[in-house]
């Protein structure tokens, strides 16, 4: 039995529990192998591209006969062009240890022959442990300068820019203790993963950098995100479609757009998002606090979402459900379609709001929001002397212990 010696995921009650056996408990017979990128020709300094050296070190790590195989990036600086590390690998555990700094090419030109949507990617690697304490620096300002979001009139502006780290199709994986800096677009994207824990990350990009989401997850289940500090120009954490059993806790967010589910259902697709628990979140000067955003043309469900223990300082939209999203902002016609949003709770929200609608539940007539619980809420205006209100359209539920704003519905 290989119960000890690594990380075992127990799937019960729909929640992932990760047992990390500390090294002194490791099975004495676990075979190990270590591969250092310097032994495969990597050169530090930030001028020479090291993608080939990293790829060769990865090939050795992934094909090793050891049960636990480690790729080491020593405490130096390495420029690395776009690269994908493919699995499956032979060892049960693959440890990708970043002690130094990984730097992206500065110029978007470096992506000429590569997928502009990604920089570093892992594909189909199970039992991956991606660990710091080193950093991953996307040096994204060259992409930001040409982004259509902020330079719509620029000829050749780009809407798609590289995500710093994509983890695609994985199981039983772990990302921890890494410092992400200035990605060109999202910092971390998790897609097609079943059982992944993300912990102790620091993600840092300017508040005015375009689309630089902190962590984006979609098409995944059994995900834990814990103890993470995020400052960015977009959502700190965004949750896309086909998601279940997500536990997010101890997050500090700001600057940024908050914790967001959506936008969902853009192409009229059937949305399936359920069982999400977000707790112990501190939001500093963000655009949103807890948000669910769905397109009018979407179908399907968002259900079983709990947001609790939120502290908010000067947040524009502390609590917001917008089920009316459409292409024409502010001029959406009523449609009969919509994503059903139900069983959503907001509990223990304290702090201040930068607009005077601190609870905004904006749902459609044909597919109203039901089972909304508002409990123990005190959200004042960040502007002295201003009052805050709540606004509800086609939203039903109960409110309990909501001091401010006065909720639209009562028990
Ligand atoms: C990849 O690793 C295998 C196993 O270590 C080795 O036989 C093979 O030569 C490596 N391929 C390259 C291109 O380095
Ligand atoms: C982006 O634009 C700023 C301001 O114009 C400039 O200082 C900076 O060098 C540009 N960055 C890149 C990588 O082109
Ligand atoms: C991130 O980018 C901004 C803008 O280019 C720059 O001012 C800042 O120093 C960068 N951060 C780090 C840690 O390099
Ligand atoms: C999150 O981290 C805290 C502090 O390290 C720890 O007490 C808690 O058990 C962790 N939660 C999860 C779900 O891993
Ligand atoms: C959130 O933090 C509070 C206070 O530290 C703690 O009592 C509670 O258990 C935490 N909730 C979760 C889900 O970690
Ligand atoms: C609700 O959504 C509609 C349609 O997008 C929009 O016109 C309206 O301003 C929203 N109401 C609030 C209070 O945000
Ligand atoms: C805020 O509400 C109080 C009590 O209802 C009222 O007296 C006061 O005029 C309001 N202030 C503003 C700026 O609307
Ligand atoms: C909302 O805020 C604006 C300015 O920030 C103010 O003029 C308006 O009276 C406020 N509305 C309410 C209902 O307090």
């Amino acid at each position: 039995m290989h119960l000890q010696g690594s990380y075992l995921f127990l799937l019960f009650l729909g929640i992932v529990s990760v047992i990390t056996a500390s090294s002194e408990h490791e099975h004495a017979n676990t075979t190990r192998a270590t591969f250092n990128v310097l032994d495969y020709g990597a050169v530090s300094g930030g001028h020479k591209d090291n993608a080939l050296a990293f790829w060769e070190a990865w090939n050795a790590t992934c094909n090793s006969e050891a049960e636990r195989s480690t790729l080491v990036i020593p405490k130096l600086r390495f420029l690395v062009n776009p690269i994908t590390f493919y699995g499956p690998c032979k060892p049960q555990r693959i440890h990708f240890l970043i002690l130094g700094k990984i730097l992206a090419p500065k110029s978007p030109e470096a992506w000429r022959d590569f997928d502009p949507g990604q920089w570093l990617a892992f594909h189909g690697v199970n039992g991956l442990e991606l660990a710091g304490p080193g950093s991953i620096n996307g040096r994204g300002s060259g992409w930001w300068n040409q982004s259509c979001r902020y330079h719509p009139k620029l000829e050749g502006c780009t809407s798609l820019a590289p995500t710093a780290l994509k983890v695609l199709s994985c199981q039983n994986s772990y990302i921890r203790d890494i410092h992400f800096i200035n990605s060109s677009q999202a910092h971390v994207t998790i897609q097609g993963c079943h059982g992944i824990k993300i912990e102790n990350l620091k993600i840092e990009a300017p508040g005015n950098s375009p689309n630089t989401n902190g962590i984006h997850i979609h098409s995944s289940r059994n995900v834990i995100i814990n103890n993470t500090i995020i400052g960015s120009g977009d959502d700190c954490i965004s949750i896309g479609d086909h998601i279940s059993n997500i536990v997010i806790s101890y997050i500090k967010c700001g600057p940024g757009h908050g914790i967001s589910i959506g936008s969902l259902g853009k192409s009229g697709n059937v949305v399936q998002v359920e069982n999400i628990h977000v707790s112990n979140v501190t939001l500093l000067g963000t655009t949103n606090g807890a948000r669910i955003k769905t397109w009018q043309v979407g179908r399907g469900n968002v259900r079983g979402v709990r947001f609790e223990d939120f502290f908010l300082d000067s947040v524009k939209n502390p609590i917001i459900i917008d089920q009316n999203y459409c292409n024409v902002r502010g001029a959406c016609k009523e449609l009969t379609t919509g994503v059903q949003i139900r069983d959503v709770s907001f509990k223990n929200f304290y702090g201040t709001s930068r607009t005077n609608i601190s609870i905004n539940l904006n749902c459609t007539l044909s597919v109203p929001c039901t089972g909304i619980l508002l409990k123990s809420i005190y959200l004042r205006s960040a502007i002295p002397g201003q009052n805050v209100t709540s606004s509800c359209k086609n939203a039903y539920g109960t409110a309990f212990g909501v001091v401010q704003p006065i909720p639209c519905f009562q028990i």
Side-chain angles (χ1 to χ4, degrees), residues 354-357 383 386-389:
R354 221 157 64 230
T355 62
N356 45 25
I357 304 178
I383 305 149
Q386 282 287 330
N387 293 331
V388 291
T389 57

Side-chain angles (χ1 to χ4, degrees), residues 23 125 181 214 257 261 276 293-294 299 316 344 359:
S23 52
V125 184
I181 301 157
H257 295 185
I261 298 178
I276 297 176
K293 184 166 87 171
T294 63
R299 290 166 298 148
K316 211 167 156 197
V344 178
I359 299 179

Side-chain angles (χ1 to χ4, degrees), residues 296 322 324-326 330-332 357 360 362 391 393:
Q296 278 189 350
D322 182 359
N324 280 305
Y325 216 58
C326 71
C332 310
I357 304 178
N360 189 352
N362 197 346
S391 163
K393 224 174 105 192

Side-chain angles (χ1 to χ4, degrees), residues 106 141-142 145:
K106 267 192 175 157
S141 68
N145 280 0

Side-chain angles (χ1 to χ4, degrees), residues 73-391:
I73 295 153
K75 207 171 167 201
L76 295 164
R77 289 153 49 87
F78 297 100
L79 172 66
V80 178
N81 274 352
I83 181 168
T84 299
F85 301 102
Y86 286 95
C89 295
K90 284 186 193 162
Q92 288 168 6
R93 300 298 305 180
I94 293 283
H95 196 173
F96 195 99
L97 184 61
I98 306 168
L99 301 173
K101 298 178 159 79
I102 304 182
L103 307 175
K106 267 192 175 157
S107 166
E109 279 294 298
W111 273 265
R112 190 184 281 276
D113 299 325
F114 294 96
D115 175 357
Q118 61 189 53
W119 169 35
L120 307 173
F122 289 84
H123 193 286
V125 184
N126 295 337
L128 175 68
E129 180 179 343
L130 201 56
S135 63
I136 293 181
N137 189 338
R139 301 202 291 182
S141 68
W143 286 96
W144 305 340
N145 280 0
Q146 63 179 45
S147 97
C148 298
R149 180 148 179 176
Y150 293 144
H151 308 279
K153 292 194 179 118
L154 178 73
E155 200 186 327
C157 73
T158 47
S159 300
L160 180 64
T163 291
L165 172 68
K166 273 193 184 172
V167 180
L168 309 164
S169 304
C170 78
Q171 285 176 28
N172 299 357
S173 293
Y174 193 13
I175 304 177
R176 62 175 175 88
D177 305 318
I178 300 174
H179 184 183
F180 286 86
I181 301 157
N182 287 345
S183 180
S184 312
Q185 208 157 75
H187 287 79
V188 178
T189 291
I190 305 298
Q191 178 183 339
C193 285
H194 300 156
I196 183 164
K197 181 167 185 173
I198 299 175
E199 198 166 43
N200 303 328
L201 303 189
K202 185 172 178 199
I203 299 177
E204 192 185 1
N208 62 0
S209 55
N211 304 107
T212 50
N213 291 37
I215 301 172
H216 176 72
I217 330 167
H218 72 105
S219 308
S220 295
R221 58 175 190 260
N222 302 325
V223 179
I224 292 175
I225 304 177
N226 194 22
N227 246 329
T228 286
I229 298 173
I230 305 169
S232 80
D234 209 314
D235 297 333
C236 286
I237 297 177
S238 61
I239 294 171
D241 201 357
H242 301 293
I243 279 291
S244 59
N245 303 339
I246 313 292
V247 177
I248 300 172
S249 50
Y250 298 103
I251 305 297
K252 190 171 157 193
C253 165
H257 295 185
I259 311 291
S260 200
I261 298 178
S263 55
L264 298 166
K266 183 174 184 172
S267 49
N269 52 306
V270 179
V271 168
Q272 215 181 339
V273 171
E274 56 191 33
N275 204 5
I276 297 176
H277 185 198
V278 186
S279 67
N280 285 339
V281 176
T282 299
L283 297 142
L284 305 172
T286 55
T287 318
N288 305 292
R291 170 167 73 165
I292 301 177
K293 184 166 87 171
T294 63
W295 288 74
Q296 278 189 350
V297 292
R299 290 166 298 148
N301 288 284
V302 174
R303 63 186 166 203
V305 182
R306 289 189 289 152
F307 294 106
E308 59 190 341
D309 300 318
F310 272 54
F311 172 78
L312 309 96
D313 183 34
S314 196
V315 170
K316 211 167 156 197
N317 306 299
I319 291 177
I320 181 162
I321 295 180
D322 182 359
Q323 204 201 14
N324 280 305
Y325 216 58
C326 71
N327 281 323
V328 202
R329 287 306 291 271
C332 310
K333 278 186 287 189
E334 274 294 334
L335 300 181
T336 53
T337 50
V339 178
Q340 166 84 74
I341 297 173
R342 66 183 151 105
D343 301 328
V344 178
S345 62
F346 302 91
K347 208 169 120 186
N348 301 333
F349 274 61
Y350 302 102
T352 58
S353 172
R354 221 157 64 230
T355 62
N356 45 25
I357 304 178
S358 58
I359 299 179
N360 189 352
L361 308 176
N362 197 346
C363 303
T364 60
L365 185 62
S366 50
V367 192
C369 299
T370 57
I372 309 291
L373 172 68
L374 298 167
K375 190 175 172 197
S376 304
I377 292 176
Y378 184 47
L379 292 167
R380 325 185 296 288
S381 175
I383 305 149
Q386 282 287 330
N387 293 331
V388 291
T389 57
S390 51
S391 163

